[in-house]
């Protein structure tokens, strides 16, 4: 179970079926993350990409805060269905576009894609190895999926570090870390 922290569905508890194996971002970490994001962006006008969306904790938090353009990528069909159903039940169906894909395959297909995002959030399973995390970072940044002032947030275990030229900040909340990456500078 998780809850929506703020927005039109503030304090709404979302209960997933018991057989779902997920690890939603903690309320404490999610509250801190959205405080950072709302300081930098007007979420209502942002386009958001939520990778490894799980059961939609981050997706629905953006939607509750009036973000109108959220794409959620989730491989598990039950989880993707749960995000869609919950978004519809809460009247957020038009804001949320859930696609059932392997994140890495989806990113490889989006090379040189026209759609760019203000915010990309990725919460890969914690058992993902370091090589795959680095591949994820490279795919997002090299495929230029971020808008020029965009932000890519990688949630990972706090003991892991992902040094990269585009890494701008890192914040620790308990056993998780948010690493913040900015878009590649535009070549002149």
């Amino acid at each position: 179970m998780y809850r929506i922290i703020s927005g039109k569905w503030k304090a709404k508890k979302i209960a997933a079926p018991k057989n779902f194996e997920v690890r939603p971002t903690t309320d404490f970490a999610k509250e801190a993350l959205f405080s950072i994001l709302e300081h930098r962006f007007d979420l209502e006008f942002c386009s958001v990409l939520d990778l490894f969306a799980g059961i939609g904790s981050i997706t629905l938090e953006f939607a509750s805060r009036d973000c109108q353009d959220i794409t959620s990528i989730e491989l598990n069909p039950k989880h993707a269905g749960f995000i869609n159903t919950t978004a519809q039940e809460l009247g957020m169906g038009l804001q949320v576009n859930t696609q059932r894909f392997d994140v890495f395959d989806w990113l490889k297909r989006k090379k040189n894609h026209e759609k760019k995002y203000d915010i990309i959030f990725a919460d890969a399973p914690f058992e993902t190895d370091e090589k795959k995390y680095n591949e994820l970072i490279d795919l997002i940044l090299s495929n230029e999926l971020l808008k020029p002032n965009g932000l890519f947030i990688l949630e990972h275990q706090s003991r892991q570090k992902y040094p990269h030229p585009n890494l701008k900040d890192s914040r620790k909340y308990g056993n998780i870390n948010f690493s913040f990456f900015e878009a590649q500078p535009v070549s002149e």
Side-chain angles (χ1 to χ4, degrees):
M1 179 179 298
Y2 65 89
R3 73 182 175 99
I4 296 175
I5 303 295
S6 189
K8 61 186 164 199
W9 286 101
K10 180 179 181 175
K12 172 74 174 162
K13 292 182 179 176
I14 309 290
K18 293 185 188 299
N19 62 342
F20 281 23
E21 292 184 27
V22 293
R23 177 195 41 79
T25 303
T26 66
D27 286 357
F28 172 66
K30 193 164 45 171
E31 196 164 350
L33 173 65
F34 276 87
S35 177
I36 293 166
L37 293 176
E38 286 181 319
H39 183 73
R40 181 170 172 163
F41 297 98
D42 183 349
L43 296 182
E44 183 179 354
F45 301 103
C46 284
S47 56
V48 174
L49 177 61
D50 184 7
L51 302 172
F52 307 97
I55 57 172
S57 172
I58 297 296
T59 291
L60 297 178
E61 191 68 45
F62 274 110
S64 180
R65 294 168 190 249
D66 289 327
C67 183
Q68 300 299 309
D69 181 12
I70 308 153
T71 302
S72 300
I73 308 300
E74 173 55 46
L75 180 60
N76 185 307
K78 291 179 183 173
H79 296 177
F82 182 81
I83 295 169
N84 276 334
T85 301
T86 306
Q88 291 294 334
E89 289 171 358
L90 298 177
M92 302 174 183
L94 296 176
Q95 296 165 255
V96 177
N97 170 16
T98 306
Q99 299 179 26
R100 196 175 76 74
F101 271 102
D102 173 86
V103 166
F104 292 94
D105 290 343
W106 190 89
L107 289 170
K108 288 172 186 168
R109 294 173 66 167
K110 296 301 173 185
K111 190 171 180 92
N112 301 319
H113 193 259
E114 289 181 15
K115 173 117 181 174
K116 301 211 183 295
Y117 300 90
D118 296 290
I119 301 167
I120 299 175
F121 180 83
D123 181 10
F126 273 6
E127 63 272 7
T128 302
D129 67 31
E130 187 174 333
K131 183 178 176 185
K132 291 301 275 185
Y133 271 112
N134 286 318
E135 179 184 355
L136 177 65
I137 294 165
D138 288 339
L139 281 169
I140 290 168
L141 296 175
S142 67
N143 286 356
E144 299 179 0
L145 291 170
L146 281 174
K147 290 182 180 177
N149 293 316
L151 193 63
F152 164 44
I153 305 110
L154 178 66
E155 181 176 337
H156 55 89
Q157 292 184 52
S158 58
R159 61 183 163 78
Q160 297 169 308
K161 305 292 180 228
Y162 294 99
H164 190 279
N166 296 69
L167 178 66
K168 298 303 175 194
D169 196 6
S170 187
R171 305 280 179 97
K172 182 180 178 197
Y173 302 97
N175 69 337
I176 69 149
N177 215 68
F178 293 125
S179 291
F180 297 87
F181 301 84
E182 292 182 349
Q184 302 274 11
V186 178
S187 303
E188 294 186 30

